[in-house]
Amino acid sequence: DIVMTQSPDSLAVSLGERATINCKSSQSILYSPDNENYLAWYQQKPGQPPKLLIYWASTRESGVPDRFSGRGSGTDFTLTISSLQAEDVAVYYCQQYYTTPTFGQGTTVEIK
Amino acid sequence: HLQLQESGPGLVKPSETLSLTCTVSGDSIRTINYYWAWIRQPPGKGLEWIASVNYRGRTYYNMSLQSRVTISVAASEDEFSLTLSSVTAADTAVYYCARQTARAVAAHYFDFWGQGNMVTVSS
């Protein structure tokens, strides 16, 4: 299985400031034939199911605010919230789908 | 508007078999570009994919659970199901069903999720 490791485990950011979450895969998840990175990001608020934010590493799901962005390639990826809002407090997960799906352990984002 | 709804017991005894069903509404399960998946989340922990199936019955499983898991689809009823045998306390979790996008035969990310069904394994 491909192991997904997120960092940090938690971070506290002031309202309006940038939050950056890292995700590293144990092997490359860039598929050469289509030049796509097989990575998604999810947001999970307490008591709710995860919500898809980003797929193909950088494509924002319909309806997701543009303050959320994803980038990276190969084994190293980031999710950035450009200006943290109160409603962004949540746990964020990365997931690879290059092989059978695996998730990162999650990163908790809080307000400082 | 697509909706997925899990149903099943909230409590299962150790060594017994857990059975869950996901009912899909607002769209047909008989869609070629999707798989239908089960994912679980133990209390306070992260997400673990369990298994996926398409409407034609093509399946794939998490190897760590494969010996105990069966996923099946009842396409005519827009339902798919999960059975997990020989459960232990370690199987206590919220079980989510989800739609998984697919391209050709490869399944990808999860774009719609049910609200989850909490299952506790205890005598």
Side-chain angles (χ1 to χ4, degrees):
Chain A
D1 283 359
I2 296 177
V3 176
M4 307 300 289
T5 304
Q6 293 181 225
S7 62
D9 289 334
S10 65
L11 73 161
V13 176
S14 300
L15 289 172
E17 296 299 305
R18 179 186 302 263
T20 300
I21 301 168
N22 302 300
C23 176
K24 189 175 184 66
S25 56
S26 60
Q27 67 184 73
S28 177
I29 54 176
L30 171 63
Y31 185 54
S32 299
D34 60 14
N35 199 36
E36 295 275 18
N37 288 282
Y38 282 41
L39 184 100
W41 288 96
Y42 301 86
Q43 174 193 65
Q44 187 177 31
K45 298 181 179 179
Q48 296 184 19
K51 172 189 173 183
L52 176 67
L53 296 176
I54 303 278
Y55 54 93
W56 302 121
S58 61
T59 301
R60 203 178 300 114
E61 173 73 330
S62 175
V64 173
D66 61 7
R67 63 180 180 273
F68 291 92
S69 63
R71 61 179 300 167
S73 186
T75 61
D76 292 282
F77 301 88
T78 58
L79 174 71
T80 300
I81 309 172
S82 61
S83 176
L84 190 73
Q85 305 300 304
E87 61 265 32
D88 301 333
V89 169
V91 180
Y92 292 83
Y93 295 93
C94 60
Q95 175 234 329
Q96 65 79 23
Y97 44 96
Y98 186 88
T99 62
T100 54
T102 52
F103 293 87
Q105 81 277 17
T107 295
T108 301
V109 174
E110 301 170 322
I111 304 294
K112 185 187 292 183
Chain B
H1 175 62
L2 181 69
Q3 290 189 312
L4 290 82
Q5 180 65 56
E6 305 89 350
S7 58
L11 182 65
V12 181
K13 290 183 168 55
S15 78
E16 294 190 342
T17 295
L18 164 66
S19 296
L20 295 167
T21 296
C22 183
T23 302
V24 178
S25 60
D27 199 359
S28 172
I29 205 170
R30 296 179 298 278
T31 307
I32 195 168
N33 290 327
Y34 297 104
Y35 274 72
W36 305 89
W38 289 98
I39 298 148
R40 70 180 182 179
Q41 185 171 37
K45 296 188 177 180
L47 300 162
E48 180 181 37
W49 168 76
I50 302 170
S52 299
V53 63
N54 70 6
Y55 82 99
R56 293 176 175 172
R58 180 185 174 100
T59 59
Y60 70 119
Y61 294 95
N62 184 324
M63 293 294 287
S64 69
L65 297 168
Q66 185 171 8
S67 64
R68 299 194 291 130
V69 171
T70 301
I71 190 170
S72 58
V73 63
S76 61
E77 299 174 24
D78 284 323
E79 292 181 346
F80 62 105
S81 299
L82 176 78
T83 62
L84 177 65
S85 63
S86 304
V87 297
T88 70
D91 295 311
T92 294
V94 176
Y95 285 75
Y96 294 103
C97 60
R99 188 177 77 172
Q100 185 177 17
T101 64
R103 201 159 64 185
V105 297
H108 301 316
Y109 50 88
F110 307 99
D111 63 348
F112 277 95
W113 297 64
Q115 288 299 304
N117 188 116
M118 178 67 206
V119 178
T120 301
V121 179
S122 174
S123 55

